[in-house]
């Protein structure tokens, strides 16, 4: 059993409060995957969204773009479509440091310092 912690300092900020419903849903799905040791190894695919009530591919892409632009998530590995079936893009929550994720070939280094600074 785990829990997603949303800092109040984050929740008071307009870029969080003004999220579209789709972006908030995707953020909650990414947060659901976070276990305190895997920030950077979070994904949001069309197939995964089926378990969360579904979402059109274009809506998912728009929601991810919104979360990236608002600095609520960061891409840690790009999507790769290859003959071997491809691999999904990976993300990290920006209010927590990026964890070591062995074998995931992250494109950003691990860091205990979060990308997003929160003031109390």
């Amino acid at each position: 059993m785990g829990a997603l912690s949303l800092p109040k300092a984050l929740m008071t900020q307009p870029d969080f409060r003004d999220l579209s419903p789709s972006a908030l849903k995707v953020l909650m799905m990414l947060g659901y995957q976070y276990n305190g040791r895997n920030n950077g190894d979070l994904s949001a695919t069309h197939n995964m969204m089926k378990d969360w009530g579904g979402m059109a591919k274009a809506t998912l892409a728009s929601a991810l773009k919104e979360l990236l632009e608002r600095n609520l998530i960061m891409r840690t590995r790009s999507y790769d479509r290859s003959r071997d079936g491809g691999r999904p893009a990976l993300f990290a929550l920006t209010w927590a440091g990026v964890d070591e994720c062995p074998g995931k070939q992250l494109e950003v280094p691990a860091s205990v310092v979060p990308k997003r600074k929160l003031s109390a």
Side-chain angles (χ1 to χ4, degrees):
M1 180 149 114
L4 171 64
S5 176
L6 291 173
K8 285 185 180 184
L10 174 69
M11 296 174 72
T12 63
Q13 299 186 9
D15 57 354
F16 178 85
R17 288 189 172 201
D18 296 340
L19 281 173
S20 69
S22 297
L24 186 58
K25 186 176 190 177
V26 172
L27 184 62
M28 293 299 103
M29 197 259 303
L30 290 168
Y32 176 78
Q33 297 170 54
Y34 180 51
N35 64 19
R37 300 175 312 279
N38 66 336
N39 199 31
D41 185 18
L42 312 176
S43 58
T45 67
H46 183 251
N47 281 339
M48 292 171 75
M49 289 307 299
K50 290 177 184 175
D51 290 339
W52 287 75
M55 184 176 285
K57 288 181 181 181
T59 304
L60 174 59
S62 177
L64 287 167
K65 181 180 178 191
E66 181 180 349
L67 292 168
L68 289 163
E69 288 173 350
R70 291 175 184 244
N71 192 29
L72 292 165
I73 63 171
M74 63 184 287
R75 183 175 285 116
T76 57
R77 185 181 79 188
S78 300
Y79 169 76
D80 179 28
R81 174 177 258 170
S82 68
R83 286 187 246 175
D84 300 330
R87 62 183 192 172
L90 296 178
F91 301 92
L93 306 171
T94 56
W95 63 90
V98 176
D99 296 311
E100 289 284 344
C101 299
K104 297 299 179 171
Q105 300 171 317
L106 299 187
E107 297 163 1
V108 300
S111 172
V112 294
V113 178
K115 179 182 177 190
R116 184 177 182 126
K117 306 292 185 253
L118 297 175
S119 56

